[in-house]
Amino acid sequence: MRRLLGRLCDERGDVPGWVLITLMTAGLVLTIWVLAGPALEQVFQQAMDHVLGGL
């Protein structure tokens, strides 16, 4: 029992792995944002023009 509790308290996880996953996710989000930003802005602007044009 003592050995099991010692192993549970010592478990720290894979910190470098989580850091790498976080950085890669942030990089992917940034890349997609940069590439798709202008297109999304254009779609949003067209939608707003359509909605406001009906007023």
Side-chain angles (χ1 to χ4, degrees):
M1 185 67 149
R2 181 179 290 170
R3 190 171 67 187
L4 177 61
L5 288 174
R7 288 182 67 196
L8 288 175
C9 291
D10 249 1
E11 187 64 35
R12 296 182 189 171
D14 185 15
V15 175
W18 283 109
V19 170
L20 182 61
I21 289 171
T22 303
L23 290 175
M24 288 176 67
T25 302
L28 283 172
V29 168
L30 185 62
T31 302
I32 291 170
W33 193 345
V34 166
L35 294 175
L40 291 173
E41 185 177 344
Q42 183 180 7
V43 168
F44 176 76
Q45 191 61 44
Q46 287 175 353
M48 290 302 292
D49 290 343
H50 180 72
V51 169
L52 295 177
L55 294 178

